[in-house]
Amino acid sequence: AISRNQTEEKSRFVTFWQEEVPRTMWECRRDLLYAFVIFTIAFLIGAVSAANDLAFPRLIMGDTYVNMTLENIKNGDPLAVYKQARELDMFFGITLNNVLVSFRMYASGILTAIGTVLMLFYNGIMVGAFQYFFYQHGVLTESLLTIWIHGTLEISAIVIAGAAGLTFGKSLLFPGTYTRSYSLLRGAKQGLKIIIGLVPIFITAGFLESFVTRHNDMPVVLSLL
């Protein structure tokens, strides 16, 4: 009996990753598109705002971070911020923070998805302003080759977490042929599956940011890879 239960648990684990997560993402593909569009619009707003107001990056990222980065640029190492903490401490801190952010983005969907939209919008504006800030100071290429080593996974996962929140919120607003309570429960389960599915991505992104991104002197080919 124990052996059979263990086999069933193993089968359930495999099924979750091989079938349930992909199927849920397919069912929520429209919400994923909406999340991507919201983030992209916010990204452009952040970049345009930074281009037209030199103080805008300080408003979004704070004076301390901007001043530190300006000092790093002056010293010839604009991404030195990734070298300040010990690798293992950085890994656990960043990974935990990203998982919590994604869960908050999902949970905010209960408020008719307004909270999720606002979080997506803020993150998009922040990334847009952040990248334009480096462009303004002539180090955009270096920032792209460094930050997006981990950012490709991290930002994609934030958008996908936004899709989880939109799925949750939409289930309350638009129950369709289901009762509102059943639709909400269904949407909550779908969103939670997406968030659980993101955990390995955040772990990988945290590893890259902590152990790899700090080596911004690596060959361009390796950075692109």
Side-chain angles (χ1 to χ4, degrees):
I2 294 175
S3 177
R4 185 171 65 251
N5 289 337
Q6 290 175 338
T7 301
E8 289 175 354
E9 289 176 3
K10 182 178 180 181
S11 176
R12 179 71 176 81
F13 179 82
V14 173
T15 301
F16 177 80
W17 293 103
Q18 284 190 343
E19 298 178 16
E20 291 186 41
V21 172
R23 182 171 61 246
T24 300
M25 287 307 308
W26 174 252
E27 292 170 351
C28 301
R29 62 191 181 280
R30 189 168 295 178
D31 298 322
L32 178 60
L33 175 61
Y34 294 153
F36 176 74
V37 169
I38 292 169
F39 184 90
T40 302
I41 291 172
F43 177 94
L44 294 174
I45 290 173
V48 171
S49 298
N52 289 278
D53 183 358
L54 295 178
F56 187 76
R58 293 182 177 276
L59 178 66
I60 299 298
M61 297 182 287
D63 288 330
T64 300
Y65 183 85
V66 170
N67 290 337
M68 176 190 64
T69 304
L70 288 174
E71 186 65 26
N72 289 338
I73 292 173
K74 181 180 176 182
N75 293 333
D77 191 1
L79 285 310
V81 63
Y82 294 106
K83 304 174 183 177
Q84 292 182 350
R86 292 174 54 196
E87 288 93 334
L88 201 57
D89 294 339
M90 192 173 175
F91 168 70
F92 284 114
I94 288 172
T95 302
L96 179 61
N97 178 70
N98 285 338
V99 170
L100 290 176
V101 167
S102 69
F103 186 82
R104 285 199 299 269
M105 192 170 286
Y106 154 69
S108 296
I110 190 63
L111 304 173
T112 63
I114 293 175
T116 300
V117 170
L118 291 176
M119 290 185 72
L120 270 173
F121 214 76
Y122 174 77
N123 278 275
I125 287 176
M126 181 172 63
V127 174
F130 183 69
Q131 286 295 179
Y132 198 87
F133 172 77
F134 283 104
Y135 170 75
Q136 284 176 321
H137 293 87
V139 288
L140 177 63
T141 300
E142 185 171 350
S143 75
L144 291 175
L145 289 173
T146 302
I147 295 167
W148 290 92
I149 289 174
H150 66 270
T152 304
L153 291 175
E154 188 175 80
I155 299 303
S156 297
I158 290 296
V159 172
I160 295 170
L166 293 179
T167 296
F168 192 12
K170 187 182 71 175
S171 66
L172 179 64
L173 289 173
F174 309 108
T177 58
Y178 301 113
T179 63
R180 201 172 296 275
S181 59
Y182 178 79
S183 177
L184 181 62
L185 180 61
R186 181 173 179 270
K189 287 181 177 179
Q190 285 180 313
L192 188 58
K193 284 181 182 179
I194 294 172
I195 294 301
I196 294 173
L198 287 175
V199 171
I201 297 177
F202 280 125
I203 291 174
T204 305
F207 174 83
L208 290 172
E209 184 170 358
S210 305
F211 292 92
V212 181
T213 299
R214 64 180 58 229
H215 300 290
N216 56 347
D217 56 347
M218 70 178 71
V220 173
V221 173
L222 185 58
S223 179
L224 290 172
L225 177 64

